Amino acid sequence: MEQRTVGRSGLRVSRMGLATHTWGLHTDIDQAAVQLVAFVDAGGTLVDTSPAYAGGAAQRILAQLLGDLVSRDDIVLSGCAGIGTTTVVAAGQPAAAHLAADASRRTLLRHLDRTLLEFGTDHLDLWNVAVWDPCTPLEEVAATLEQALRTGRIRYAGVRGFEAWQLASLAAVAPVTAAQTPYSLLARGAEAATVPAARYHGAGVIAAVPLAGGILTGKYRTGVPADSRGADEATAAEIRSSLDDRATRVVDALVTAADGLGTSPLAVALAWIRDRPGIASTIAGARDIGQLTGVLAAETLELPRAIAAALDDVSAARPGAELRAAAPSGTD
């Protein structure tokens, strides 16, 4: 698998990364083990995790697999911190815990140390601030990142899900190497500001949710599969709201291109985002090895210029339209 440098840093990652958000939720440890081995055997290095995925189960599974199946040195381990828990008490209701942005020095370093202990490692290759925290001064966040770098607990620092102005604000005072953001044929909003901001500050873009929650695989073209997020009561409304006329046009174009190239719509969608300007890597998750095999097939696919241009045109947003990206689950 081709390796790319991230921005203007010396960090090198596989141009296709492995997301683990389904592990412990839709993917058990045995299935995860098969995925991890297949990914590394294919030359993949970037593995994305978070203590928030599946309530911490994804990170625990990955920690169990490292060392036993795959050497820690064979992967670029990307983690994050910055989501804290607050207790909310409403009148007449029992106390409830809610997730909230918390990029304070106390929370960031506590999460980092806990992650290192769980993985049994002395460092993360890439450590990301998971969410913008309006209550913590930028200077404190920057000093925390610099402290983690200086003490060797992380090799590079990044951000996830920041808007362009947030990325630019932090990158102006801190060494930000990577910016992870939703980016796909159905979510091209990053092109207007986030990608240029990252380029200006020397950060590489890591594209997340590249298959728009599975929509770009074509699975919803003729209906809603029983095992999909579109059939899940908790997420059905979110998926269905994204299945508009534009999505239909994009998916139809992907299917046509895939038929002509003898591959899958999934591979075409991933190859398109992989080759966009400024993209260091594209992270995609899979529920099982079958889905991951489809993801890995995109590595060898080179899109003809005419097809890439046609996809550019058909996926262009209507003027003033808000671009949406479905939340990740399964093949994303």
Side-chain angles (χ1 to χ4, degrees), residues 51 59 80 110-120 124:
Q59 192 161 282
C80 68
R110 186 176 76 250
H111 288 179
L112 174 58
D113 290 339
R114 186 181 301 160
T115 295
L116 295 178
L117 180 63
E118 187 164 50
F119 279 111
L124 294 182

Side-chain angles (χ1 to χ4, degrees), residues 248-259:
T248 298
R249 291 194 299 272
V250 170
V251 171
D252 285 347
L254 283 172
V255 171
T256 299
D259 288 345

Side-chain angles (χ1 to χ4, degrees), residues 229-254:
R229 294 182 72 248
D232 188 326
E233 183 177 342
T235 54
E238 181 182 18
I239 289 293
R240 291 173 189 272
S241 68
S242 298
L243 297 174
D244 55 15
D245 290 342
R246 175 169 169 262
T248 298
R249 291 194 299 272
V250 170
V251 171
D252 285 347
L254 283 172

Side-chain angles (χ1 to χ4, degrees), residues 19-28 35 53-54 58 285-288 328-331:
T20 62
H21 54 265
T22 67
W23 293 13
L25 186 62
H26 303 296
T27 306
D28 63 29
Q35 286 189 29
Y53 293 164
R287 293 193 180 198
D288 52 43
S329 181
T331 302

Side-chain angles (χ1 to χ4, degrees), residues 3-170:
Q3 305 291 305
R4 292 177 174 173
T5 56
V6 182
R8 291 198 293 266
S9 76
L11 178 62
R12 294 180 63 82
V13 300
S14 53
R15 64 178 182 175
M16 187 66 67
L18 178 64
T20 62
H21 54 265
T22 67
W23 293 13
L25 186 62
H26 303 296
T27 306
D28 63 29
I29 188 168
D30 293 331
Q31 295 170 320
V34 174
Q35 286 189 29
L36 183 61
V37 170
F39 176 71
V40 174
D41 285 349
T45 59
L46 180 61
V47 179
D48 169 269
T49 190
S50 166
Y53 293 164
Q59 192 161 282
R60 288 192 295 272
I61 288 174
L62 180 57
Q64 291 180 60
L65 298 179
L66 286 184
D68 291 338
L69 292 179
V70 171
S71 170
R72 168 68 180 86
D73 293 337
D74 287 341
I75 70 167
V76 175
L77 185 57
S78 174
C80 68
I83 300 177
T85 302
T86 60
T87 301
V88 177
V89 180
Q93 300 292 327
H98 291 267
L99 297 179
D102 185 351
S104 65
R105 179 184 288 107
R106 176 178 182 272
T107 294
L108 287 179
L109 293 181
R110 186 176 76 250
H111 288 179
L112 174 58
D113 290 339
R114 186 181 301 160
T115 295
L116 295 178
L117 180 63
E118 187 164 50
F119 279 111
T121 186
D122 63 355
H123 74 281
L124 294 182
D125 299 296
L126 176 61
W127 185 49
N128 303 273
V129 180
V131 65
W132 173 264
D133 177 8
C135 298
T136 300
L138 277 178
E139 294 77 12
E140 180 175 332
V141 178
T144 303
L145 294 178
E146 290 169 353
Q147 180 181 352
L149 286 163
R150 186 176 63 254
T151 57
R153 285 179 279 181
I154 68 172
R155 298 297 186 254
Y156 298 90
V159 298
R160 292 184 180 179
F162 275 36
E163 295 182 16
W165 70 268
Q166 297 167 343
L167 164 62
S169 297
L170 182 58

